[in-house]
Amino acid sequence: MDCAAGVERKLQSTGCGYSSRASQLYDLDTTSAASSGDLLLDFKPVTSEADLQSSRSPSQARQLGLSPALGREGSTWSTEASRALYNVDGWGCGYVDIAEEGNLAIRPLGEDGPAVDLPQLVEHLKERGLLPPLLLRFPSIACHRLEKLRDAFRAAIERFEYQGCFRSVFPVKSNPDRLLLQGMLDYSWSHEHGHGLGLEVGSKAELTMALSMIPLPASPAFNLICNGCKDAEYMELAMHAGELGVNAVVVMEQYSEVRLALRVAAKLGVRPRLGVRAKLATRHSGHWGSTSGDGAKFGLRAREIVAAVGELAAAGMLDCLVLLHFHVGSQITNIRMVKEVMREASFLYAELVKMGAGLRFLDVGGGLAVDYDGSFTDSAASMAYSLQSYANDIVSAMQEVCVHRGIPPPTLISESGRAVASHATVVVFDVVNHPVRCEELREEEEEVVDSVEFSLDRPLTKQLKAAASRGKGRYLLTTFKEVFDNITADAFSLRESYSDACYFKEDALRAFKLGVLSLVERARVDVMFDATCDRIRTLAGEHSLPLPDALQPTAVPGVRLYHVNLSVFQSAVDAWGIGQLFPVMPLARLGEEPRVQATLGDITCDSDGRLDRFAGPGGLGAAGALPLHDLREGEPYRLAMFLTGVYQEVMGSVHNMYGRLNTAVVWAEPGRAGVQLVHVRRGESVGEVLVHPGYDPATMIQRVHEATVLRVNAGNLPMRRAEVIMQCYRERMAGYTYMR
């Protein structure tokens, strides 16, 4: 089945206004601009030898004897160096590549599949009115991740001679985007011979959504796991779902839900499939550790599970208890936790079977981690195990208990969301502001230093007295110049000079607060301080001397702030909320050495709107600064942020009224040449965002119109100016919320 066509049919059938041109394929250089609607575009596959060389992975390039590209101006910097600097191979998992000319590329089917040139894609979208910031979605990556997860469990099942099977369900809370879910469902059910992806829901809204996405005709092999807090309405709809022919399991997450399930089942006259979530004692030590242990929000303790079994048995419905579920928390970084929790869960499963429960499924929940910093460690932003190790430990633990207790092995279900969809989204955004270039700063420093009168050949006391007679500012500048001129190439001098510079800068601030130092004089003292620090760095580098701690490259004085056209609260909310690391790197110029150490500040009016944790080079973990290039006049400088495919969109806020991003969906079909741009969706306009807090755009326009009419009638505003104002207001109301 052609899954891109399947997505197209779904869009047409739901009345989404999918363009009639979507059945055609276009090359990037021949497609005419579309004013609105959805597009289906064809990106030429990588076919020429030059293209193949530029898009191969480093290992492939080395095998073919291809040399790395040289940077500009004869630099020995190469794309290989950029690959190592940004640790692309550590966190990219084969989906991120660097072409020889220095452009970033995405491989939706892994390192052996076709490549999408990101700068080319972004320019193509920009020509058609979709400006950065952009959200680029690659459902094919999620499908490829599902295949890798399935293959890992199949290999484990074969290795340990497990007689059960494995099924995946996707937790829709992690990313409920319709095109992503539909793409994964269509692909998996067309490629897995009637045993495709299922869904996990946690609310009435999610359940309502999931029922509309059941592959038809409905199959009992479609697993619909109903988690979350439940009332009678949720229970009723979940039990009705079973009547549609799917394997809908109502998981009881609180003890109170046991009796509620019995009442609803009696009311509907059905024998539902029920599950129970266990509150395991084994505790996850990471950020999400509160999900497990006795203090967990969800789940039944051992005594509550025994009581629930008793109530179900008394009602003659113990055979309806078909699933045991547990979840120890997201982002499990150490495989030992998987081993420990599986031992507890496996014996709990066996005990419930012994008590007469009709168990057939063990749902191991989520927790499969993502290596955000590429370090392959058990840090919070990484994972210290492979996908195959994860599958092996789950299968072997359950197999051992089944053999020991002589019970049939259950179908194993995984609710992995983070590990499946994180790689499927890339956010692209522009740098909109940058610090003054180092050369310009040094020119200013030289001018100020040269303007201060001081001579090593004249008595110091006389010079200071003369400066003092001309005011506090002149005295401070003269003493600063004396420190600057006496810096020598030894470690003690560097430390002493920096200490003196800090003291004089603080003295200048005190004088300014007392009103005895002008703003211009204070600014000149700041320039002298910067010049002194630069001289200390230069001498330390030339003579291999240690720098004062505050002047180390990772310290604040050595890091520049780049402002970017992005809202952290909309597109990377976990970076603000829990300090999550997301890999970021330039979209192009990766054949050139980046010489600026930077942090990123977004365009919101909130000082927390910044990114200051990045994937460090060589798998060394998180870094406090991101290597970037100097900006070029008239040339856009764009960055890409990765691994944002779960939770960021659904949890993002409209802080400062910055809305959802312009979005493009790119599809790659195995066995089919090239990739396709199957859908574009414009981001929220100003008017659409203002609806969230209760405003009506039409009423707002009318209100501003009334204000202009009053000014015109009073003779304070010409009619032509009033028309210009209203036109500007309407355009802003309909425009993108981000900077242009």
Side-chain angles (χ1 to χ4, degrees):
M1 174 183 177
D2 185 335
C3 292
V7 172
E8 176 190 337
R9 285 195 295 275
K10 289 283 190 306
L11 291 167
Q12 291 173 330
S13 66
T14 51
C16 296
Y18 201 57
S19 172
S20 61
R21 291 177 295 170
S23 59
Q24 305 175 39
L25 298 180
Y26 299 87
D27 290 332
L28 287 177
D29 55 353
T30 59
T31 309
S32 60
S35 59
S36 63
D38 304 317
L39 307 172
L40 179 62
L41 300 153
D42 188 41
F43 287 79
K44 294 178 180 179
V46 182
T47 52
S48 70
E49 183 55 35
D51 287 341
L52 284 171
Q53 175 172 339
S54 69
S55 61
R56 286 188 176 105
S57 66
S59 58
Q60 292 172 316
R62 283 190 291 269
Q63 289 170 3
L64 292 168
L66 303 176
S67 59
L70 293 178
R72 296 191 179 186
E73 301 178 356
S75 167
T76 57
W77 192 264
S78 67
T79 56
E80 292 281 355
S82 287
R83 183 186 296 275
L85 178 66
Y86 297 107
N87 197 20
V88 173
D89 294 335
W91 51 262
C93 295
Y95 303 112
V96 183
D97 204 353
I98 302 176
E100 185 178 307
E101 66 274 15
N103 283 355
L104 202 55
I106 296 294
R107 294 184 175 276
L109 301 179
E111 60 184 16
D112 295 325
V116 180
D117 185 294
L118 285 188
Q120 182 188 19
L121 172 59
V122 171
E123 285 302 316
H124 173 73
L125 294 169
K126 186 178 178 182
E127 289 171 3
R128 282 147 183 81
L130 262 74
L131 304 177
L134 291 163
L135 188 152
L136 306 178
R137 198 183 314 283
F138 299 88
S140 303
I141 292 181
C143 295
H144 191 260
R145 300 286 294 172
L146 279 173
E147 284 189 337
K148 291 173 73 70
L149 181 63
R150 177 202 63 192
D151 291 345
F153 271 92
R154 284 182 176 173
I157 287 172
E158 181 178 355
R159 174 182 173 182
F160 296 105
E161 299 179 354
Y162 189 74
Q163 298 303 305
C165 59
F166 169 77
R167 299 287 179 262
S168 290
V169 298
F170 185 78
V172 300
K173 65 176 178 289
S174 61
N175 194 328
D177 181 79
R178 181 172 55 87
L179 294 182
L180 174 68
L181 295 180
Q182 198 66 66
M184 289 193 295
L185 288 170
D186 287 351
Y187 180 85
S188 67
W189 281 87
S190 64
H191 286 74
E192 296 189 22
H193 310 292
H195 294 286
L197 178 69
L199 296 176
E200 181 270 338
V201 298
S203 69
K204 285 184 284 188
E206 290 182 353
L207 175 58
T208 303
M209 175 188 69
L211 289 178
S212 71
M213 306 188 79
I214 295 174
L216 301 177
S219 166
F222 180 84
N223 296 307
L224 180 60
I225 308 300
C226 302
N227 290 327
C229 295
K230 304 172 189 66
D231 59 8
E233 291 180 346
Y234 186 154
M235 288 275 193
E236 285 185 8
L237 187 57
M239 292 182 185
H240 281 314
E243 297 182 85
L244 295 179
V246 301
N247 181 39
V249 181
V250 180
V251 180
M252 300 173 291
E253 306 221 19
Q254 306 287 353
Y255 184 73
S256 60
E257 292 179 1
V258 178
R259 293 180 181 176
L260 177 60
L262 292 175
R263 288 200 304 270
V264 173
K267 173 186 174 181
L268 299 180
V270 299
R271 295 185 63 80
R273 294 182 179 89
L274 301 176
V276 61
R277 176 169 177 170
K279 187 181 294 187
L280 300 182
T282 306
R283 185 179 174 84
H284 175 21
S285 60
H287 174 81
W288 290 273
S290 60
T291 308
S292 56
D294 289 340
K297 179 180 177 181
F298 296 110
L300 280 66
R301 296 167 58 198
R303 61 180 297 180
E304 293 173 320
I305 292 175
V306 171
V309 167
E311 292 209 34
L312 291 174
M317 299 184 69
L318 188 53
D319 62 311
C320 294
L321 183 59
V322 299
L323 179 143
L324 173 64
H325 171 49
F326 67 87
H327 179 66
V328 293
S330 187
Q331 188 68 9
I332 298 174
T333 62
N334 195 307
I335 195 65
R336 180 177 178 180
M337 175 56 60
V338 178
K339 296 175 184 289
E340 292 293 330
V341 76
M342 276 304 301
R343 287 196 63 82
E344 183 180 358
S346 298
F347 280 108
L348 177 57
Y349 182 94
E351 288 295 315
L352 287 174
V353 171
K354 180 181 177 181
M355 295 172 71
L359 292 183
R360 293 185 285 124
F361 303 94
L362 176 65
D363 183 345
V364 302
L368 180 57
V370 168
D371 197 348
Y372 288 95
D373 64 18
S375 64
F376 199 67
T377 64
D378 59 0
S379 72
S382 187
M383 58 186 295
Y385 57 92
S386 67
L387 179 57
Q388 190 60 61
S389 296
Y390 175 79
N392 288 347
D393 283 355
I394 290 175
V395 172
S396 62
M398 194 69 242
Q399 171 74 338
E400 180 181 347
V401 172
C402 288
V403 171
H404 180 70
R405 294 294 182 92
I407 60 174
T411 295
L412 300 172
I413 294 177
S414 165
E415 297 179 7
S416 297
R418 185 182 301 272
V420 167
S422 289
H423 298 78
T425 298
V426 180
V427 177
V428 174
F429 48 95
D430 290 303
V431 173
V432 295
N433 196 2
H434 67 102
V436 179
R437 289 196 295 265
C438 296
E439 310 86 69
E440 297 172 4
L441 289 173
R442 290 196 181 96
E443 289 176 5
E444 182 185 10
E445 291 169 6
E446 290 172 1
E447 291 176 2
V448 172
V449 170
D450 292 342
S451 70
V452 179
E453 298 178 3
F454 181 80
S455 173
L456 294 174
D457 299 328
R458 296 171 55 196
L460 174 61
T461 303
K462 288 185 177 181
Q463 295 186 74
L464 292 178
K465 284 182 178 180
S469 67
R470 299 170 63 183
K472 180 69 172 179
R474 177 59 61 178
Y475 177 79
L476 280 172
L477 288 171
T478 302
T479 53
F480 235 135
K481 181 66 178 295
E482 189 272 336
V483 171
F484 181 87
D485 286 348
N486 281 283
I487 302 174
T488 58
D490 68 80
F492 177 81
S493 175
L494 298 187
R495 290 195 300 271
E496 185 70 15
S497 299
Y498 180 71
S499 177
D500 289 344
C502 290
Y503 174 80
F504 291 138
K505 184 178 181 181
E506 293 167 1
D507 196 21
L509 176 59
R510 287 190 291 268
F512 182 76
K513 289 179 179 179
L514 292 172
V516 298
L517 196 71
S518 72
L519 178 60
V520 172
E521 289 172 327
R522 180 183 171 187
R524 289 167 68 85
V525 169
D526 284 346
V527 173
M528 284 297 300
F529 176 82
D530 292 340
T532 302
C533 292
D534 283 342
R535 182 164 176 79
I536 292 171
R537 290 192 189 95
T538 299
L539 289 174
E542 290 175 350
H543 299 276
S544 301
L545 297 172
L547 278 171
D549 290 342
L551 293 183
Q552 295 292 335
T554 55
V556 174
V559 177
R560 308 292 183 182
L561 177 65
Y562 275 40
H563 289 279
V564 294
N565 192 15
L566 183 78
S567 167
V568 167
F569 306 96
Q570 171 64 232
S571 300
V573 63
D574 277 350
W576 163 70
I578 61 174
Q580 179 65 60
L581 180 155
F582 294 105
V584 180
M585 61 185 297
L587 212 63
R589 295 175 60 184
L590 293 169
E592 305 172 34
E593 182 177 3
R595 298 181 181 273
V596 179
Q597 293 292 320
T599 58
L600 307 180
D602 73 1
I603 55 175
T604 69
C605 299
D606 197 311
S607 58
D608 285 338
R610 62 189 302 150
L611 298 173
D612 53 14
R613 294 185 70 235
F614 308 97
L620 298 179
L626 179 68
L628 296 176
H629 305 87
D630 279 320
L631 305 193
R632 295 172 180 159
E633 191 70 30
E635 181 179 320
Y637 189 68
R638 297 189 174 115
L639 306 177
M641 180 166 56
F642 297 87
L643 305 183
T644 61
V646 295
Y647 300 114
Q648 306 317 299
E649 297 165 61
V650 71
M651 294 178 65
S653 73
V654 290
H655 188 36
N656 271 160
M657 299 294 109
Y658 287 109
R660 295 191 179 277
L661 306 187
N662 288 329
T663 300
V665 180
V666 179
W667 183 266
E669 183 79 15
R672 179 174 178 174
V675 296
Q676 296 172 279
L677 179 59
V678 297
H679 184 79
V680 296
R681 180 172 61 215
R682 297 194 182 279
E684 287 180 306
S685 67
V686 170
E688 289 169 333
V689 168
L690 292 175
V691 170
H692 294 299
Y695 293 90
D696 175 54
T699 302
M700 296 168 69
I701 292 173
Q702 180 61 33
R703 179 76 171 176
V704 175
H705 175 69
E706 291 173 0
T708 60
V709 169
L710 289 174
R711 293 285 290 173
V712 170
N713 291 341
N716 297 320
L717 185 68
M719 178 62 74
R720 185 174 297 277
R721 294 299 299 171
E723 292 173 352
V724 170
I725 291 171
M726 287 308 303
Q727 178 66 21
C728 179
Y729 189 75
R730 290 189 182 95
E731 289 177 354
R732 296 300 89 78
M733 184 72 77
Y736 202 20
T737 59
Y738 294 88
M739 298 178 68
R740 298 179 68 88

